[in-house]
Amino acid sequence: MLKKLSLPAQIFLGMFAGILVGLVFIPNPGFTTDFLKPIGTIYVNLLKFLVVPVVVFSITDGVISLKDLKRVGSVGIKTFVYYMFTTALAVVIGLVLVSGFKGMFPALPSAELTGLAYEAKQSPSVMQVIVNIFPDNLFKPMVNADMLPVIVISILFGAGILASGEKGEKIGAIVNAMNEVVMNVMMMIIKITPIGVFCLMANVVAVNGASIVGTLALVIGVAYLGYFVHVVVVYGLSVRFLSGMSPVKFFKGIAPAMICAFTTTSSNATLPLNIECCNKLGAEPEISSFVLPLGATINMDGTAIYQAVAAVFIASCYGIELTLSQMAMIVLTATLASVGTAGVSGAGMIMLAMVLTTIGVPVEGIAIIAGVDKLFDMGRTALNITGDATCALFVSKLEQKKKVAA
Ligand code: ASP
């Protein structure tokens, strides 16, 4: 009977069943951690191993299918501008909302802060993030799943194939065939999403359920309010006015990818399903195979909102009142930090260190929210991939208009 349900329905069912089972195991989460979480991990591993081939072949193929280098440039620039603009908006929404709630965050006694020692991983400087985009080796970034340089490599190879004329066409055909193969492997893995979502959700609820209390619940609530406002206002308006689609239709179509992102907390892992959903919604396949992998790596609106909210919250815990110029710094660094954030679980929290350092707030403060980062991460990842999808539809629409005009 379950097989008769559509995949999105199965994913919904998996999520709700996971929540119920998680609630049952809150007093004793051992079962979910020992038995369900590993199954969830297998699912996430399968998705992760596919990420590098999906990005390499889909971006290279995307570049080739744009047919001429000028078009690559024009699609690339539109995508980049859209991504940066929506991310900056996201930070501003986060800052405005969190400022409204600032008075409700108590300045914690210092003993409580020092008791929560968080070993901050070194976060790179802004210039280092930019330098790291450019690979010094062909394979190293692929082995480390370091996506920004992998994207640069894929774009350059795609451009090289286009520039090589007839000889390039032969390689282009191979890339196209490989892309087809990778997409089929991806479809096989996507079919087990309901099981993966069930296991991951059950474990998150069982482990975190009881500990979401007091102030943390409030700051999580503020972040989710920010996510919600961004989804409704920015994405709703973008879909309606830039892509000419009904927001209801859009959100229905993108829901499976959002749920996958919510439970895997990885934009990279959600990429295959996001491509599938966007194409079904009417995005041009050659556009989505270029715009979405790029977005999974550089476009993180949810992460940007989270970083703004978390930075102000942590500053309040230390009794630090942020000035307007510090707020402006948050907009700049959170936008850049979200570009540098890898599309994997928990990466946004590491990059938060970059924001805190820039505005002079103790990085150890991350300890306060580290325990519940997963809950922030679920919402921010769902937002991250939705933003990518709105861009794929928008750029597709622009390209379709161009075709009609030509
Ligand atoms: N988990 C997020 C993503 O994959 C990144 C983050 O931690 O903010 O999009």
Side-chain angles (χ1 to χ4, degrees):
M1 186 202 117
L2 273 182
K3 280 214 162 144
K4 282 205 191 116
L5 291 176
S6 65
L7 185 64
Q10 289 180 32
I11 297 176
F12 267 119
L13 211 66
M15 182 176 79
F16 282 118
I19 293 175
L20 289 182
V21 170
L23 286 175
V24 172
F25 283 98
I26 284 180
N28 179 17
F31 173 77
T32 59
T33 318
D34 292 345
F35 296 102
L36 296 183
K37 191 175 167 214
I39 300 176
T41 307
I42 292 175
Y43 167 67
V44 174
N45 284 352
L46 284 174
L47 286 171
K48 276 193 191 154
F49 106 90
L50 254 193
V51 165
V52 171
V54 165
V55 169
V56 167
F57 289 111
S58 82
I59 291 199
T60 312
D61 193 44
V63 170
I64 298 169
S65 57
L66 292 175
K67 296 227 165 54
D68 77 284
L69 283 172
K70 262 209 217 125
R71 193 155 172 236
V72 175
S74 99
V75 170
I77 288 173
K78 282 173 205 148
T79 305
F80 191 73
V81 170
Y82 181 93
Y83 281 162
M84 291 306 104
F85 182 67
T86 49
T87 305
L89 270 182
V91 187
V92 173
I93 289 175
L95 279 179
V96 170
L97 281 177
V98 75
S99 299
F101 287 88
K102 223 169 38 188
M104 292 162 80
F105 300 141
L108 299 177
S110 57
E112 226 171 293
L113 291 180
T114 45
L116 284 160
Y118 165 80
E119 232 175 291
K121 288 195 194 130
Q122 187 95 45
S123 81
S125 69
V126 173
M127 275 322 280
Q128 199 56 44
V129 168
I130 295 171
V131 170
N132 287 347
I133 295 173
F134 299 93
D136 62 351
N137 180 293
L138 177 59
F139 299 109
K140 218 167 39 181
M142 300 203 191
V143 171
N144 297 332
D146 203 351
M147 300 321 291
L148 285 173
V150 169
I151 286 177
V152 171
I153 291 169
S154 310
I155 293 176
L156 285 176
F157 269 87
I161 290 169
L162 282 181
S164 307
E166 234 174 78
K167 280 191 181 154
E169 275 172 25
K170 289 181 194 145
I171 301 292
I174 295 174
V175 170
N176 183 268
M178 276 307 291
N179 195 30
E180 187 72 26
V181 171
V182 171
M183 291 295 156
N184 276 311
V185 176
M186 183 181 91
M187 287 312 298
M188 295 171 199
I189 298 172
I190 284 178
K191 288 218 173 88
I192 59 168
T193 300
I195 300 171
V197 163
F198 165 75
C199 295
L200 292 169
M201 200 70 207
N203 188 55
V204 167
V205 173
V207 173
N208 291 304
S211 65
I212 314 158
V213 278
T215 324
L216 283 178
L218 178 64
V219 69
I220 290 170
V222 174
Y224 273 81
L225 186 62
Y227 298 160
F228 181 75
V229 170
H230 195 75
V231 164
V232 173
V233 178
V234 178
Y235 298 156
L237 291 179
S238 162
V239 168
R240 182 80 201 86
F241 294 105
L242 299 181
S243 310
M245 181 184 286
S246 129
V248 175
K249 180 180 169 200
F250 170 73
F251 287 115
K252 253 194 192 161
I254 207 68
M258 287 179 88
I259 293 176
C260 179
F262 191 74
T263 47
T264 60
T265 57
S266 167
S267 293
N268 284 354
T270 312
L271 179 59
L273 192 55
N274 206 13
I275 294 178
E276 164 93 1
C277 291
C278 283
N279 290 351
K280 273 200 185 137
L281 278 168
E284 301 274 317
E286 79 241 33
I287 300 289
S288 50
S289 64
F290 176 77
V291 170
L292 294 176
L294 187 67
T297 309
I298 69 164
N299 183 45
M300 309 244 168
D301 297 352
T303 303
I305 292 177
Y306 152 81
Q307 284 170 344
V309 171
V312 174
F313 170 69
I314 293 171
S316 302
C317 290
Y318 279 97
I320 301 171
E321 186 73 37
L322 294 175
T323 62
L324 212 59
S325 75
Q326 275 170 314
M327 296 273 200
M329 269 322 273
I330 294 181
V331 177
L332 184 68
T333 49
T335 305
L336 273 173
S338 70
V339 172
T341 301
V344 296
S345 189
M349 191 177 77
I350 295 164
M351 296 304 283
L352 176 61
M354 177 168 133
V355 180
L356 295 181
T357 314
T358 321
I359 56 168
V361 170
V363 172
E364 297 74 39
I366 292 180
I368 308 165
I369 50 167
V372 287
D373 184 64
K374 185 83 180 167
L375 296 170
F376 285 108
D377 202 0
M378 296 169 94
R380 68 185 187 239
T381 311
L383 226 69
N384 291 346
I385 64 99
T386 311
D388 304 342
T390 60
C391 184
L393 290 172
F394 169 49
V395 177
S396 292
K397 182 88 182 173
L398 288 180
E399 292 299 301
Q400 281 160 359
K401 268 194 196 151
K402 245 193 191 170
K403 262 191 217 158
V404 174

